[in-house]
Structures are given as structure tokens and as C-alpha cells.
Amino acid sequence: MSDSPLLRVSNLTVALHLEGGTSLPVRDVSFDVGASETVGLVGESGCGKSMTALSILRLIPKPPAEIVAGSVNLSDVDLLKLDSNGIRRVRGNRVAMIFQEPMTSLNPVYSCGEQIAEVLRLHSGLDRRRAWARAVEMLDRVQIPNAAERAREYPHQLSGGMRQRVMIAMAIACNPEVLIADEPTTALDVTIQREILALLDELQAQLGMGILHITHDLAVVSESAHRIVVMYAGQVVEEASVDQLFSAAAHPYSLGLLASRPELGARRSRLPVIEGRVPEPSQEVEGCRFRERCPFAVDRCTEEPPLLEVSNGHRARCWEFERVQREGEWPRVQ
Ligand SMILES: Nc1ncnc2c1ncn2[C@@H]1O[C@H](COP(=O)(O)OP(=O)(O)O)[C@@H](O)[C@H]1O
Ligand SMILES: [Mg+2]
């Protein structure tokens, strides 16, 4: 972890209260995001990535979900301790979020320009005219051609890629310190995906914001992230720099993700190599939660491993990490 991170998530634990009982979709999750740093939060669907992201801004559906432990520090303020007015001032202002499907976050009855202007009026106190002018400026900044005209259009008039640009414009309108992007390019085709990733990199270079980029696809963050946090079944199972992860992954799950990774831009993704499924949060597993899918498992894995120090800045939740690194490859099944 860096010395003075912008965002520090510590020991975050989320409970899910359902009819069958209470389970933990997020278990003791910790990571940092520094200024101008992109952290990739990676894992298959159902691993708790979105729950983690939504918890940072206290947007998890409550009930059934509830944050039961941990802290989320933005500089020196614990977002989990703020009152409702306090957290509202942080959302969209100091910490902004974009999602996979912009249509769910954009309001169909307002023009794109109006929606961005509204955010600016709310958080920056700009008057109507100035807010509109700045909204157009923002659309221009996210490289939407003819921004002044496009600002008058409604979300349904735009393509998926353009809508995601509008979402990004809205997210950066108040110059946030941290941008949380939850699968921002998953719904887009590969060419547009690349353009959006390049845009995020460029905006980061201009604005210095920290980015938490959530994806199920390691290839998506391999170029833009500085560090990767791998989540499995509610837990962080590996944390490493991109170089460390790609050259010396220490958790079998990471090796599996690396082996399943399609080339960015490939037309067809390779079949996932990890057999089986992520256990539901309610499913109790003795020991390591990845054990049943793990080709490296040994007897000791019935005892739950902590996050072990692999090297400086590199940690993995695996008793066998040295062997995993030595073998360095997910075993091929013929
Ligand atoms: N509103 C909800 N009600 C019940 N279960 C939920 C709800 N939201 C998430 N979950 C469960 O919590 C787990 C983590 O979900 P999520 O954070 O969305 O995973 P990810 O974003 O990694 O795909 C999953 O098992 C999911 O089924
Ligand atoms: Mg998700």
C-alpha cells in the first residue's frame, strides 16, 4: 500500500440479509488508490466487485445489503462515518462513478447537456448559463464532435459509445479526485472499447484523478492499470503491480484469469479455463474459497490462508504461492 493514498478501503465487509440467512458478499477487503493511479479490480462475475464499489459511495441496496465492518478513507475522511448530507456532497463531486450501461444512469427525458449542467449546478453552484457552457465544454473534452449541438440531444439519440462519453463527461464535470468505473466498456464493441480506455487515460493525465477500474476481463486493464487487485468470492486473493501479476502471478486464480484472457481486440474470446463456478456468498467453504476449483490445492488448503507477502507490494492468499510462481502457468487439460 502506498504511504498517503487518496482512497483507502480497509477491511470492508458487506453482509447480505436474505430469507435464507445472512451471508458476506464482501469479506475483509482492503486496497488503496493513489492520485494519478489506476487500480484494476478484477474477478469473475459474482466475486463482489460491484458491491465493493457501491459500498465506497454507500450506494449498495440497503436492505438487503449492509456494510458491517471496515472504513473507506478519502484523504482523511471516513466516508462510512459521514451523515447523509456529507456523503451526498462527496458523490459525483469528490468521487464519481460510471457504470456498464449508461442508459440506466442517464435520464431519458433530459438532454445530455441538461443532465451535465444539473450536476454542475448542484455541486459547483454555477448558474444556468454557465453550467450549460461548462457542460458543452465537458462534452468537448470527452471528444464528442459538435459538442454544442450534441448537448441538445437526448440519450436515445446517441450510440452506446457516445452515451458512455456523456457519462464520463458527467463524472468528471466536478473534477473528482477519484473515478470509479464499473465495467465501463463491457457493453461496447472492441474498437469503441479501446477509444474509451484511451480517453480515460488521457483524462487521468490531465486531471490527476485516481481511477478504480472494475472489470471481469484482465486484458481490459492490462494496458492502463498500474496495480491489480484480484477478487475471488468476496475476498482479495492477490494484489500486485501489473508487471508483477503478468510476470509472476502468485495466486492460482490469477493464473487462471491470465490463461482465459482473450487478446484485447480479438474477435472471439478463448474459453475460460477455470472449471466450475464462483461459490455464492452464502456457500460456506472450509479453508480457501478457491480450493475446489484449484489445480494446485494441497491438504493444508482446508485451513484458510491469509494474504501472504510475496514480495514488496505483492501479496497473495495462497499457501502454495511459491510453487504457483515457479510453475507459472495454469495446467493445461487435454
Ligand atoms: N441485491 C442483491 N440481492 C441479492 N444478492 C445480491 C444482490 N446484489 C449482489 N448480490 C450477490 O452478491 C454477490 C456479489 O455480487 P456483485 O458485487 O454484483 O459481483 P460482481 O460485480 O463481481 O459481478 C453475488 O453473489 C450476487 O449474487
Ligand atoms: Mg459487477
Side-chain angles (χ1 to χ4, degrees):
M1 292 195 176
S2 42
D3 290 339
S4 53
L6 209 48
L7 183 75
R8 168 164 284 178
V9 174
S10 309
N11 311 106
L12 180 72
T13 302
V14 178
L16 195 55
H17 306 288
L18 299 174
E19 268 177 44
T22 294
S23 61
L24 301 175
V26 177
R27 301 171 179 231
D28 201 24
V29 165
S30 303
F31 60 86
D32 288 351
V33 182
S36 296
E37 182 183 43
T38 296
V39 174
L41 184 61
V42 178
E44 289 161 289
S45 173
C47 282
K49 306 181 301 295
S50 293
M51 279 281 199
T52 300
L54 292 169
S55 298
I56 293 171
L57 284 174
R58 308 218 321 248
L59 291 169
I60 51 167
K62 185 186 175 189
E66 183 194 8
I67 298 169
V68 289
S71 58
V72 175
N73 277 89
L74 179 65
S75 304
D76 47 8
V77 182
D78 185 353
L79 302 185
L80 302 188
K81 293 215 170 82
L82 292 177
D83 62 19
S84 51
N85 277 327
I87 189 73
R88 225 172 288 141
R89 277 197 295 271
V90 170
R91 286 182 197 138
N93 194 24
R94 297 185 64 192
V95 180
M97 196 159 173
I98 55 175
F99 304 93
Q100 175 175 337
E101 188 29 80
M103 262 330 244
T104 56
S105 323
L106 291 172
N107 191 327
V109 303
Y110 293 103
S111 73
C112 298
E114 280 170 323
Q115 297 188 52
I116 300 169
E118 178 62 26
V119 173
L120 286 162
R121 279 209 302 274
L122 201 71
H123 287 298
S124 312
L126 294 182
D127 64 33
R128 258 168 205 286
R129 260 195 38 211
R130 288 194 180 176
W132 180 264
R134 177 127 169 101
V136 173
E137 205 182 299
M138 284 296 131
L139 292 174
D140 192 49
R141 189 143 202 189
V142 297
Q143 297 155 16
I144 291 184
N146 309 319
E149 286 152 48
R150 281 304 175 91
R152 289 178 214 292
E153 291 183 6
Y154 292 82
H156 73 267
Q157 294 175 281
L158 304 177
S159 67
M162 282 296 156
R163 282 202 288 263
Q164 196 55 288
R165 284 175 195 270
V166 172
M167 278 305 297
I168 295 170
M170 202 185 299
I172 62 162
C174 295
N175 212 347
E177 291 153 68
V178 179
L179 176 69
I180 301 173
D182 190 352
E183 308 264 7
T185 63
T186 300
L188 304 173
D189 74 50
V190 287
T191 316
I192 312 293
Q193 184 175 336
R194 275 175 180 279
E195 288 174 13
I196 297 287
L197 294 175
L199 173 66
L200 287 174
D201 282 355
E202 207 174 311
L203 291 170
Q204 182 179 50
Q206 291 164 11
L207 304 170
M209 60 195 172
I211 298 182
L212 179 65
H213 187 155
I214 298 170
T215 174
H216 65 281
D217 183 352
L218 251 181
V220 163
V221 285
S222 61
E223 284 171 39
S224 54
H226 304 101
R227 282 186 306 124
I228 307 266
V229 174
V230 181
M231 262 186 99
Y232 185 74
Q235 293 175 313
V236 173
V237 294
E238 184 158 6
E239 182 183 347
S241 71
V242 172
D243 291 346
Q244 285 166 336
L245 194 87
F246 279 76
S247 64
H251 196 286
Y253 184 57
S254 308
L255 280 188
L257 291 178
L258 286 165
S260 319
R261 173 175 46 114
E263 292 292 305
L264 185 62
R267 289 195 174 276
R268 224 178 305 156
S269 47
R270 269 194 278 163
L271 286 175
V273 297
I274 317 171
E275 278 179 43
R277 303 185 46 184
V278 184
E280 292 291 319
S282 58
Q283 210 174 314
E284 272 318 315
V285 178
E286 189 193 6
C288 171
R289 292 180 69 71
F290 188 59
R291 182 168 58 94
E292 285 169 2
R293 300 172 76 187
C294 183
F296 292 87
V298 292
D299 288 348
R300 192 181 181 187
C301 303
T302 51
E303 181 191 333
E304 186 170 359
L307 266 177
L308 298 167
E309 186 89 12
V310 175
S311 62
N312 193 18
H314 188 178
R315 301 186 300 158
R317 193 182 291 281
C318 178
W319 297 122
E320 292 290 298
F321 74 78
E322 286 170 342
R323 180 162 65 95
V324 172
Q325 285 190 304
R326 223 170 26 245
E327 297 190 14
E329 212 178 325
W330 185 267
R332 285 170 207 277
V333 246
Q334 297 301 330

